[in-house]
Amino acid sequence: AAMPDENVTEGLSGSKDGEAARQKMQIKSFTAWVNLHLKQAGMAVENLKTDFGDGIKLLRLVEIISEEELGKYNQNPVSKFQKVENLNIPLKYINSFLKEIGIRNTYSAENIIDEDMTLILGMVWSLILRYNVADISEGDKTAKEGLLLWAKTKVEEVSKGEVKVSNFHNSWQDGLAFNCLIQAYRPDLVQYQKLNKSAKVDNLNHAFDLANDKLEIPKLLDATDMVSMRPDEKSVMTYVSFFWKVFAANKRKKIAAERITNVLQRELAYRDLMEQYKLNGEQLGRWIKLKTDFFQAEPNCNSQAELEVEMKKHVMEYGRGEKPTKLNELNDLEALHSSITSRLASLGRTFIPTEDTSLKVLNRWWEELTYAEQAYEANLRLKLKNLKRVEYYIKLHHSKASKLEDWLGDKERWLGKPADAAANGAAAAPPADADETPPAGPVPRKSSFVGMLKSTGSSFGNRAASPEADGEGAKPTMVDMKALEKVASPPTPKGQRASKGVKVVPLHDGPSESVADVQAKLNMLTAHNEELSGRQATVPELDKLLAKIGELGCPPMRQFSLTNRTSVIKERIKDLEALGTESEQRLREEYAHQQKMDEMRLVFAKKAEALNRAMEERVDTFSEIFVVDTVAEAEQQVAEIDGYRESLEALQCDLDAIAAYAEEMGSMRISRNPYSRFGMPDLLAHMSRCEAALEARQVSVQEALAHQQQIDATKKAFAAAADAILEFVKAERAKLDEVAPPGLVIQPDDTAAIEKGKAMGSALDALMAPDAKEGRDAKLLPAQELSDKLMEAAELDNPYTAQTIMTLKTQIDLLDKVLRDKRSFVEGQLARAQAEITSEQYEEIKKVFYHFDKSKDGLLNQLEFAAAIKAMDFEIADHEQQPTFLRFAKEGQRAEEPAAMTIDLSGFTTFVLQQYKDNDTKDTLFAAFETVANGKDTLSAEDIRAAIPQEEADYLLSQLELKDGDHGLEYKKFTEAIYGGT
């Protein structure tokens, strides 16, 4: 037979009336509890004492709260046997768990049929304990304490300690504790400070009405009963347990909503990253195509100045500014791609950008851009080199033409051409362009032919004061070579022309005085014709220069000017030939009465003329300008010096031979030579000019070679420094991949992976330290110094490397960025794998743990653990409680019970931490959706907006689809897609 429940308490006075009143309150609250569940079956009880008599309502009550079917029963019991049979079905189920919840009694059908109110109330209490309060230990103290501690904590938090809760009876009589409990979770519904503490009934009804209307907690208690007597402890516990269930469910829903929100925020962030990747990739792709088209077009430059501006713009603005910036954007895009890929890989997903923004396509386009850019730059350099050659050939043309024009002017005046005609001939040549100025440095000019005849102070270079000076009575003059060297005329000063200020005596100036005079003029004319032939050789040179200038792309107007000038020179040569022919005819008419001049004078004159012409040509060659752009070109110029020196030695031999010949003429007393323009002092002076010009050229060539060698060495050194930096960056990237491998995934609860991740973070922090950063930046210093030297020398191209100081700096900056990105990624992985709890939360964990540590040994058994998690406001399903306990419990922690499974503070903390932790898995996300959806497989828009912030809710609603045949939104497909499902 069943025994009365030992937990039944006495009334306020300990009288039977008080006990009856308490039982009356219990009957009210238990009846309300029973009807709360029976209404799901369309049933209700009015009298607990009689309405369970046929067993049907009790059986349906047990089926509803246990969510199990108990089997067949008599639906219309009439006999006592049928009623007992019906009652035995639910009572068997109830008696099966009584020991589990700490009740030693059992219940029988006779107790119900006999209408034993005390045992009927005890039976209902057993159901309340099992399904409303939670697991209990002996005397239900653990469950009671857990529920009491939870209520006490929440009430004291709201009231700041003003409202005290120490039991489940008189602590609740004034209604303040109920109102505080509501305010703890729904501060929008009540503010207990505004309540009148003395208006107990009003306070209670206020709390009961709010709980019923806003929280769907049924009114199990009566306010008047609560105030007029000591409240029934079981009734109050039953009512408070409803608050715990509602608020625990709300907490679970809140945690679930936070988990969903975190996932949605991550998805929004990933969406933004992918959209940013697409935008950046499209912009970069458009830029690459635009630049490729530009470089594939022909440069629109027609002058050296324009080409130099374009080359400088290409190297300085594009090569050192625009391109490194875009290369940095491409590197950033690769880093962004790697970041997105790694993050999606941790979710089992793949990042597939559009074809035009894929790294494969962009890198291929970048290579095509590089080829087009290199071809464009090579084209620019070729054009610039050609135009430099054009300028060089124009200056060379001007130099040769000017010398020929000066010579023509002297000859025209010498042959007696009228002054105005000679002037007109010279004027016919167009003025030189501003760019056609003669080259800097000495430009030796041949002395005027007639002017040399007028010079004095040298043997065979003067006329005697009278015709008799060359007569037979004249004394022979011996030529001393040392004396000749001493009186030799100095070279023409730099920058002056030999004929300036020298009067030209015409060939036909006055009548001839002697045969020798006529013969001298004929011989001079012959020498003139020979010189004319030599000078005519310059004309093909001018034509060749014009052809080269045309081939190299000279602008048409300048080419026309040069061509016209050459044509005028040709016409003047023809006119000069005609003048020569006319002069010769006139002299032949006088030749009849003239004698042939001494042949020896003529030989000397020819040799002197030929030697002088050869020396002048050497001076012209030695003093011609030269341009070198490479070491090879400078070395070629140096090699030519030896050839020049050999030719000069040959001329010296010819000069020695002429000097010997002059000695011989002197021994024959020949004192003047009307046939020769040059005396030995003139020839010696010309030889000195040749030697000086050769020495000056050798110095200039050596200086040019040394300069080019220095520039070339600097370029090679920069290329080596660039290669060292690239190797350093490559090694550092490899080191980073060793420290933090790509695609790193740190799973929650994987302690080894978390510790490894922390070690990675520490290693990356060391690499990000200021001294490490300074060390990386210092790698640029040698290359920076070399680059500055090349910039100062205006050397903008480097055939030994495609790198610039800006691209190298970009590589170092990218290395720093990859380092920062890896550090951020590792931090993100660790943050995802670990949950952080505040110090206040940890204090609450310790407080609850030690409160339920009844043995005071720092350990909790399963029942104590169940009560503790209830006090922490967590609810775990019945079938999950033992597996959850065993997952965190350990064996052998309690000496007196080695086999007992217990949980220490660390295990309990880990359990609580995991309740807060946002485990990023498909199962946890699905469970979170299920919680928000109240167990349904679909969500409504109202459910979503009530639980999730607006931006994330809008995004989620745009992703979910309506379920077929249902008005709800299906979340299963979305969950699977988040974690790489199809």
Side-chain angles (χ1 to χ4, degrees):
M3 298 296 294
D5 193 333
E6 63 184 15
N7 287 321
V8 174
T9 58
E10 295 183 348
L12 294 175
S13 62
S15 64
K16 291 184 179 180
D17 291 338
E19 186 176 346
R22 187 172 62 254
Q23 188 180 69
K24 181 180 178 182
M25 177 185 290
Q26 208 172 81
I27 291 171
K28 281 184 180 181
S29 61
F30 285 10
T31 300
W33 182 85
V34 169
N35 287 333
L36 174 68
H37 297 291
L38 283 179
K39 70 179 180 180
Q40 299 180 38
M43 298 179 177
V45 296
E46 296 179 0
N47 189 337
L48 289 178
K49 190 173 185 179
T50 60
D51 288 357
F52 286 146
D54 61 2
I56 294 176
K57 291 182 179 179
L58 180 61
L59 186 145
R60 293 296 291 127
L61 173 64
V62 173
E63 284 186 334
I64 290 169
I65 61 177
S66 67
E67 298 180 353
E68 295 183 23
E69 292 186 4
L70 301 183
K72 295 181 180 180
Y73 61 93
N74 294 307
Q75 296 185 3
N76 296 299
V78 177
S79 66
K80 181 178 180 181
F81 175 79
Q82 291 175 327
K83 293 178 181 180
V84 169
E85 191 176 51
N86 279 355
L87 285 168
N88 282 335
I89 296 172
L91 288 175
K92 180 180 178 183
Y93 183 85
I94 293 171
N95 288 330
S96 68
F97 62 73
L98 291 179
K99 288 184 179 180
E100 181 183 335
I101 62 175
I103 295 179
R104 295 184 293 275
N105 296 335
T106 58
Y107 302 103
S108 65
E110 286 76 10
N111 299 145
I112 310 300
I113 292 174
D114 292 344
E115 299 178 356
D116 188 332
M117 195 61 189
T118 299
L119 292 175
I120 291 173
L121 289 174
M123 178 192 66
V124 175
W125 175 241
S126 299
L127 291 173
I128 292 172
L129 283 177
R130 179 66 179 83
Y131 292 105
N132 228 71
V133 177
D135 290 1
I136 55 175
S137 61
E138 292 185 11
D140 68 278
K141 289 182 180 179
T142 302
K144 176 181 177 182
E145 287 181 5
L147 188 61
L148 182 62
L149 179 60
W150 169 79
K152 176 181 178 181
T153 301
K154 298 305 175 185
V155 170
E156 289 183 357
E157 282 178 359
V158 171
S159 68
K160 295 182 173 52
E162 293 183 3
V163 179
K164 304 292 185 182
V165 173
S166 59
N167 53 51
F168 281 114
H169 40 82
N170 55 10
S171 293
W172 303 84
Q173 272 189 311
D174 59 6
L176 293 180
F178 287 116
N179 281 281
C180 286
L181 204 55
I182 295 172
Q183 185 176 336
Y185 290 93
R186 291 291 303 273
D188 57 312
L189 297 180
V190 63
Q191 292 183 347
Y192 100 95
Q193 297 92 337
K194 296 182 179 181
L195 299 176
N196 184 354
K197 297 181 180 180
S198 60
K200 298 181 180 181
V201 174
D202 292 340
N203 294 340
L204 287 166
N205 283 327
H206 181 262
F208 296 162
D209 290 340
L210 284 176
N212 184 71
D213 298 340
K214 302 295 183 179
L215 307 178
E216 297 183 358
I217 296 176
K219 292 183 179 181
L220 300 185
L221 302 177
D222 182 272
T224 304
D225 290 345
M226 288 285 293
V227 173
S228 62
M229 59 175 290
R230 173 178 171 175
D232 176 62
E233 192 171 42
K234 293 179 181 178
S235 299
V236 174
M237 275 185 70
T238 302
Y239 188 56
V240 172
S241 69
F242 274 98
F243 283 91
W244 183 86
K245 278 187 173 291
V246 168
F247 293 145
N250 286 340
K251 184 170 183 177
R252 289 196 308 277
K253 187 175 289 188
K254 181 180 179 182
I255 293 174
E258 288 175 352
R259 288 179 176 172
I260 295 172
T261 301
N262 290 338
V263 170
L264 294 175
Q265 288 173 345
R266 183 192 66 207
E267 289 302 308
L268 284 170
Y270 288 178
R271 183 195 66 182
D272 292 343
L273 287 176
M274 289 186 280
E275 289 179 353
Q276 185 64 45
Y277 177 91
K278 181 182 178 183
L279 176 63
N280 293 351
E282 289 174 346
Q283 290 177 345
L284 182 60
R286 286 194 295 270
W287 178 86
I288 293 174
K289 287 185 175 180
L290 183 66
K291 282 298 177 182
T292 302
D293 293 342
F294 172 78
F295 289 135
Q296 288 174 344
E298 186 71 17
N300 186 22
C301 302
N302 295 318
S303 68
Q304 179 180 344
E306 290 178 354
L307 273 172
E308 286 176 345
V309 169
E310 178 61 24
M311 177 64 79
K312 187 172 183 180
K313 180 180 178 182
H314 176 70
V315 173
M316 299 299 292
E317 295 181 12
Y318 173 77
R320 299 190 179 185
E322 188 176 6
K323 184 181 180 183
T325 299
K326 294 301 178 181
L327 177 59
N328 199 22
E329 289 180 11
L330 178 60
N331 291 332
D332 288 344
L333 202 64
E334 290 178 347
L336 181 58
H337 185 283
S338 175
S339 178
I340 295 173
T341 300
S342 298
R343 285 162 169 74
L344 292 182
S346 67
L347 300 173
R349 289 154 61 185
T350 304
F351 176 47
I352 305 176
T354 60
E355 183 178 359
D356 287 350
T357 60
S358 68
L359 290 181
K360 181 179 179 181
V361 170
L362 290 175
N363 281 315
R364 174 165 55 81
W365 287 356
W366 187 269
E367 289 180 4
E368 292 172 357
L369 170 64
T370 301
Y371 294 144
E373 168 199 329
Q374 291 172 349
Y376 179 80
E377 185 174 342
N379 198 2
L380 281 180
R381 294 187 186 283
L382 179 60
K383 279 201 164 193
L384 182 58
K385 185 176 181 179
N386 288 343
L387 284 181
K388 283 183 177 180
R389 292 296 178 187
V390 166
E391 296 299 328
Y392 166 70
Y393 288 131
I394 286 175
K395 291 177 180 179
L396 192 57
H397 180 281
H398 173 76
S399 174
K400 291 180 179 293
S402 296
K403 293 172 184 177
L404 188 54
E405 286 166 345
D406 288 346
W407 183 85
L408 285 170
D410 285 347
K411 291 300 182 181
E412 287 167 347
R413 290 191 294 275
W414 180 63
L415 289 175
K417 186 174 183 179
D420 56 345
N424 290 336
D433 252 353
D435 290 338
E436 295 172 5
T437 57
V443 183
R445 177 188 167 190
K446 295 184 283 289
S447 301
S448 167
F449 184 75
V450 176
M452 291 301 295
L453 290 176
K454 298 292 289 181
S455 64
T456 59
S458 61
S459 181
F460 309 121
N462 323 331
R463 283 182 179 269
S466 64
E468 293 77 11
D470 197 29
E472 294 182 2
K475 290 185 178 181
T477 303
M478 300 301 292
V479 179
D480 183 356
M481 289 301 296
K482 293 184 178 180
L484 287 175
E485 293 175 359
K486 290 180 180 179
V487 298
S489 302
T492 304
K494 184 175 182 180
Q496 296 183 13
R497 298 190 176 181
S499 64
K500 293 297 183 181
V502 178
K503 183 177 179 181
V504 177
V505 179
L507 178 64
H508 302 290
D509 185 18
S512 300
E513 297 177 352
S514 65
V515 173
D517 190 14
V518 175
Q519 186 63 50
K521 291 181 179 181
L522 284 171
N523 291 340
M524 288 167 60
L525 190 58
T526 300
H528 159 76
N529 290 333
E530 291 179 357
E531 185 177 6
L532 178 60
S533 297
R535 295 290 181 175
Q536 283 177 323
T538 305
V539 175
E541 293 180 8
L542 294 178
D543 289 336
K544 288 181 181 179
L545 289 173
L546 284 175
K548 288 182 179 179
I549 289 170
E551 291 172 2
L552 293 174
C554 177
M557 290 303 296
R558 300 184 73 188
Q559 191 171 355
F560 173 78
S561 174
L562 296 169
T563 303
N564 188 40
R565 185 177 184 182
T566 304
S567 298
V568 170
I569 290 173
K570 290 178 180 179
E571 291 298 324
R572 291 179 69 184
I573 289 175
K574 288 181 181 179
D575 292 345
L576 191 61
E577 287 177 338
L579 284 173
T581 301
E582 181 183 344
S583 295
E584 184 178 4
Q585 185 176 352
R586 288 172 61 186
L587 291 173
R588 291 296 180 190
E589 291 174 355
E590 296 181 12
Y591 190 75
H593 61 277
Q594 299 291 340
Q595 291 184 350
K596 188 178 180 180
M597 189 63 173
D598 180 75
E599 190 165 334
M600 201 168 193
R601 291 193 183 101
L602 182 58
V603 170
F604 178 89
K606 289 181 178 181
K607 289 184 177 182
E609 191 69 36
L611 180 59
N612 180 72
R613 184 169 63 250
M615 288 190 292
E616 285 185 339
E617 289 175 354
R618 295 300 182 276
V619 170
D620 289 345
T621 300
F622 298 162
S623 60
E624 282 179 355
I625 63 172
F626 63 90
V627 177
V628 293
D629 291 324
T630 65
V631 172
E633 291 177 358
E635 289 174 342
Q636 178 63 32
Q637 290 291 332
V638 171
E640 290 177 358
I641 295 295
D642 293 336
Y644 293 156
R645 197 172 298 282
E646 290 176 0
S647 67
L648 195 60
E649 290 174 355
L651 289 179
Q652 183 64 50
C653 291
D654 293 342
L655 180 61
D656 293 342
I658 290 177
Y661 197 74
E663 286 252 8
E664 186 178 349
M665 291 175 67
S667 66
M668 296 175 64
R669 297 174 182 251
I670 299 175
S671 60
R672 75 183 176 91
N673 190 347
Y675 310 126
S676 177
R677 296 187 304 138
F678 307 105
M680 283 307 299
D682 300 316
L683 297 177
L684 290 171
H686 287 176
M687 179 57 74
S688 297
R689 293 192 189 99
C690 287
E691 293 172 346
L694 181 58
E695 292 302 320
R697 186 176 188 88
Q698 183 174 14
V699 170
S700 298
V701 168
Q702 290 293 345
E703 289 176 351
L705 175 60
H707 176 72
Q708 286 300 324
Q709 287 174 335
Q710 183 179 7
I711 292 298
D712 200 61
T714 304
K715 289 181 178 180
K716 289 180 178 178
F718 179 83
D723 291 341
I725 291 172
L726 294 178
E727 285 299 319
F728 169 75
V729 170
K730 181 179 178 181
E732 289 297 296
R733 290 289 292 269
K735 185 189 298 182
L736 286 179
D737 287 343
E738 289 180 5
V739 172
L744 170 70
V745 177
I746 302 176
Q747 295 292 352
D749 302 329
D750 187 344
T751 306
I754 291 173
E755 290 303 318
K756 187 176 180 181
K758 290 179 179 178
M760 290 179 189
S762 299
L764 292 173
D765 286 340
L767 292 174
M768 292 175 66
D771 56 343
K773 176 69 168 63
E774 290 174 2
R776 289 190 293 273
D777 292 341
K779 295 290 182 180
L780 284 171
L781 294 180
Q784 182 69 60
E785 293 177 0
L786 294 169
S787 176
D788 292 344
K789 289 181 180 179
L790 292 174
M791 284 293 292
E792 291 174 4
E795 291 291 333
L796 305 180
D797 63 311
N798 191 336
Y800 303 109
T801 181
Q803 301 298 323
T804 66
I805 193 65
M806 294 305 297
T807 60
L808 294 174
K809 188 174 186 304
T810 298
Q811 292 294 325
I812 294 295
D813 291 343
L814 178 61
L815 181 62
D816 291 338
K817 186 178 184 304
V818 171
L819 178 58
R820 293 193 300 271
D821 188 69
K822 281 187 177 288
R823 185 66 184 94
S824 175
F825 181 63
V826 170
E827 285 179 348
Q829 289 284 313
L830 286 173
R832 190 176 66 85
Q834 293 177 300
E836 298 292 338
I837 57 174
T838 64
S839 57
E840 292 79 6
Q841 289 173 322
Y842 187 61
E843 289 301 320
E844 181 183 4
I845 291 171
K846 290 196 296 182
K847 177 181 178 182
V848 171
F849 179 85
Y850 289 120
H851 179 84
F852 288 98
D853 178 16
K854 301 302 181 182
S855 59
K856 303 304 178 185
D857 57 359
L859 300 170
L860 301 180
N861 60 28
Q862 184 175 342
L863 295 177
E864 292 168 337
F865 172 74
I869 61 176
K870 176 188 284 290
M872 288 294 298
D873 211 6
F874 296 114
E875 184 180 32
I876 299 178
D878 295 342
H879 65 281
E880 293 180 357
Q881 287 195 10
Q882 185 174 13
T884 301
F885 172 77
L886 293 176
R887 186 150 62 98
F888 296 96
K890 294 180 181 178
E891 196 175 50
Q893 296 188 110
R894 189 167 280 166
E896 63 275 14
E897 300 178 79
M901 299 294 291
T902 55
I903 288 180
D904 57 12
L905 178 60
S906 175
F908 185 68
T909 303
T910 302
F911 162 78
V912 176
L913 182 145
Q914 289 197 356
Q915 307 311 303
Y916 289 113
K917 185 191 298 183
D918 184 10
N919 291 322
D920 193 3
T921 66
K922 180 174 69 175
D923 292 339
T924 56
L925 180 60
F926 187 84
F929 273 121
E930 199 172 34
T931 300
V932 173
N934 295 318
K936 297 183 294 183
D937 58 359
T938 59
L939 282 163
S940 67
E942 291 74 15
D943 292 336
I944 293 172
R945 295 200 179 279
I948 297 172
Q950 180 177 347
E951 182 181 0
E952 290 78 6
D954 291 340
Y955 173 72
L956 181 59
L957 289 171
S958 71
Q959 301 297 310
L960 298 182
E961 299 178 358
L962 285 171
K963 187 177 181 181
D964 295 338
D966 194 340
H967 295 295
L969 298 166
E970 187 176 22
Y971 52 81
K972 182 178 181 181
K973 290 182 180 179
F974 174 76
T975 302
E976 291 176 343
I978 288 293
Y979 294 93
T982 57

